[in-house]
Structures are given as structure tokens and as C-alpha cells.
Amino acid sequence: MKIKSMYLMVLTLVTLAFVGCSKDDDPKPVNFKDHDITATITVSKEFKKAEDDYFNLSISGGKENGTFVDWDINGTKVTDDIIQLGTDDFDGGKTIVLKSLEKFQFGSLKFGGFEFGSTPYTVTWKIEDNGKVVDEGSKVIIKDADPQFLKMVSFNEVD
């Protein structure tokens, strides 16, 4: 009798396991959007490191498999988890074009700065994703501006 009740208990547990774990309860996979980014950032000629002006930029793109993408920066391939450019890269006014060299699913772009000298400078940007402009603008950076200029763009959308 004990063996029969034990089999009945095992059969009941197995049945509950199959009923309780139906396929409808499984989480659906998330499909992240593929990004192909081109970002053009221009800092005007009034930007001077010698006047203690400050500007920095960072961009990163990662894939679902955990790898980071490489970037083309003004025609040069750069490999790093996070690409960082700073005051030296923009001294005297520069345009920097950043292009992802392959599609990615997660990432961000952050840039900003402030003016310590007496001459304001201008930051102009255009950010394209898969050939479509997603953000574009211009900002004059003035001494003692509050808050300081900071622009952040996230590339983490879900299809």
C-alpha cells in the first residue's frame, strides 16, 4: 500500500510540474533594435585649451553577445570599450565624426563642457541612427553658465 501511495504522489507531482510550467509562462525574448551610428560634433574655433576651456565626449556601443564595437573616428579605426575624447582633441575648434563600424544593440553618447575663458564657443551636433537624424542642435557655451552644458543620447531601444 505504501508503494502504491508513493507512486500516486510522484505521478501527482509530475502532473503538477507539467501543468505549472506551460510554454505560455516562459518569458518572451526581447528584440533590441540594431543601431548604426554616425555622430558629428563640432566645437568652434573660439574653444581654447590655453584659456582653460573644457570639453569632453564619450561614446560606446555593445552587442547582445557582450562584445563592444569598433569606431571610425575621422577616418581612423579605434578599438576600445568606451571611446573618450577631450579638450586636447577639440583645441582650436574641431569637427569630429564618429561612426560605428558594425551594428550594435546597446550604447550611449555623452558630450559637454564649460567655458573658463572670456570668449564663448559653440558646440554643434548631428546624430544619425541607421541613416536617420535622431538629434541635432547647437549651443553657445558661455562663462559661468549654470548649469554647464551636457548632452546625453542613449541607444537602447527595443523593437
Side-chain angles (χ1 to χ4, degrees), residues 25 30 71 73 85 89 124 126 157:
D25 292 341
V30 177
W71 294 86
I73 310 227
L85 303 173
D89 300 297
T124 306
K126 180 178 179 182
E157 296 86 17

Side-chain angles (χ1 to χ4, degrees), residues 126-156:
K126 180 178 179 182
I127 302 161
E128 300 169 80
D129 189 355
N130 294 311
K132 180 183 172 191
V133 175
V134 294
D135 199 340
E136 187 171 25
S138 185
K139 175 76 174 167
V140 176
I141 311 302
I142 301 168
K143 184 175 184 176
D144 298 328
D146 191 28
Q148 300 162 355
F149 174 65
L150 176 63
K151 180 76 176 169
M152 294 173 42
V153 181
S154 175
F155 310 114
N156 298 319

Side-chain angles (χ1 to χ4, degrees), residues 50-146:
E51 293 182 9
D52 291 326
D53 293 342
Y54 176 81
F55 192 81
N56 75 355
L57 174 151
S58 66
I59 192 165
S60 181
K63 298 167 111 183
E64 287 181 290
N65 66 5
T67 62
F68 289 90
V69 298
D70 296 332
W71 294 86
D72 176 306
I73 310 227
N74 285 353
T76 302
K77 180 180 177 179
V78 178
T79 302
D80 206 345
D81 295 354
I82 300 172
I83 306 301
Q84 297 186 357
L85 303 173
T87 297
D88 290 336
D89 300 297
F90 291 94
D91 191 29
K94 301 274 185 335
T95 295
I96 295 183
V97 179
L98 308 108
K99 295 181 184 181
S100 56
L101 292 176
E102 54 188 312
K103 292 187 180 282
F104 63 93
Q105 291 76 48
F106 311 97
S108 64
L109 167 64
K110 177 188 79 121
F111 57 94
F114 46 87
E115 164 70 38
F116 276 129
S118 57
T119 309
Y121 66 91
T122 303
V123 178
T124 306
W125 64 91
K126 180 178 179 182
I127 302 161
E128 300 169 80
D129 189 355
N130 294 311
K132 180 183 172 191
V133 175
V134 294
D135 199 340
E136 187 171 25
S138 185
K139 175 76 174 167
V140 176
I141 311 302
I142 301 168
K143 184 175 184 176
D144 298 328
D146 191 28

